[in-house]
Amino acid sequence: MKTDDLVAMLATGVDAVDPRAVEKRFALALALGLSGAGVLMVALLGVRRDLAQVAMTGMFWLKLAFPAAVLGAALSVTMRLARPGYGAGTGWVLSALTLAALWLGAGAALVAAPPALRAHMVLGDTWRVCTLCVTVLSVPAFCAVFWALRGLAPTRPHQAGAAAGLLAGAQGLLVYCLHCPETTLPFWGVWYVLGMLVPAALGAALGKVLLRW
């Protein structure tokens, strides 16, 4: 076959690619993930009854700001890695800076607190169930984000899977904050972080299988 004939054959029936295809796919995945996590939370845990009161406090919004910041950074990484040949960009650095800021605040809070209160600041009242709850609530987002990635072209499946898992964990945590009564930085720095790292580790492990071309 001549080169011109091959080019003509390959070009036949080719449709224009939507330049916003990646953004649209992830917007849908985010909507599905957050709504799915919300349904699970209402069904399994319920929204805290004093939400209207605590929403007037700065600590409540600081608690939401943490997973929201991780979500934004992880979304940036995942969307870049969904494109063939792209690296992660600065998203991992932003995620690390967010964690570092939380841990610095948690350390300062522990140092300033009386020694008798430090254990409770770390463990709170819900440490036994927090990580599990965040992980369970991240399941809808995990499925949605991997669906989005499988329809695109990631060439670094291990790293893309980890980013997708972290993105799912951040969505699960963001919704869980509407139920969780814990208000101390040390608790967030341990159990919230673990809750996001579980789906991130699972995503890294499954990435090579689920995102293989």
Side-chain angles (χ1 to χ4, degrees):
M1 180 182 293
K2 295 182 179 180
T3 301
D4 292 343
D5 295 336
L6 176 61
V7 172
M9 183 184 70
L10 293 175
T12 300
V14 175
D15 298 324
V17 176
D18 185 349
R20 307 292 292 179
V22 174
E23 289 79 4
K24 290 179 179 179
R25 198 168 180 87
F26 275 98
L28 178 57
L30 286 175
L32 292 173
L34 289 172
S35 59
V39 170
L40 274 182
M41 185 194 67
V42 171
L44 301 177
L45 304 172
V47 179
R48 57 185 299 176
R49 296 179 180 178
D50 60 346
L51 183 61
Q53 287 74 33
V54 298
M56 303 298 292
T57 66
M59 287 302 290
F60 173 77
W61 293 104
L62 182 61
K63 178 160 63 171
L64 290 181
F66 169 60
V70 176
L71 190 158
L75 178 61
S76 171
V77 174
T78 309
M79 289 179 61
R80 284 184 60 86
L81 293 175
R83 296 175 168 92
Y86 275 66
T90 60
W92 288 131
V93 175
L94 294 176
S95 297
L97 290 175
T98 301
L99 292 176
L102 175 61
W103 286 335
L104 284 174
L110 286 173
V111 170
L117 297 180
R118 290 172 183 169
H120 187 264
M121 291 175 68
V122 174
L123 298 177
D125 297 316
T126 62
W127 68 272
R128 292 180 178 86
V129 299
C130 179
T131 298
L132 176 61
C133 288
V134 174
T135 302
V136 170
L137 293 181
S138 72
V139 170
F142 192 92
C143 296
V145 175
F146 266 85
W147 163 82
L149 280 174
R150 283 178 60 84
L152 298 169
T155 52
R156 302 181 184 187
H158 182 78
Q159 191 175 169
L166 182 61
L167 176 57
Q171 292 178 74
L173 176 57
L174 185 63
V175 172
Y176 180 66
C177 287
L178 302 179
H179 166 82
C180 181
E182 306 293 348
T183 58
T184 64
L185 292 176
F187 182 94
W188 304 348
V190 176
W191 308 107
Y192 281 10
V193 172
L194 284 176
M196 292 190 297
L197 290 182
V198 169
L202 182 61
L206 294 178
K208 289 185 178 180
V209 176
L210 298 180
L211 301 178
R212 183 165 46 191
W213 286 23

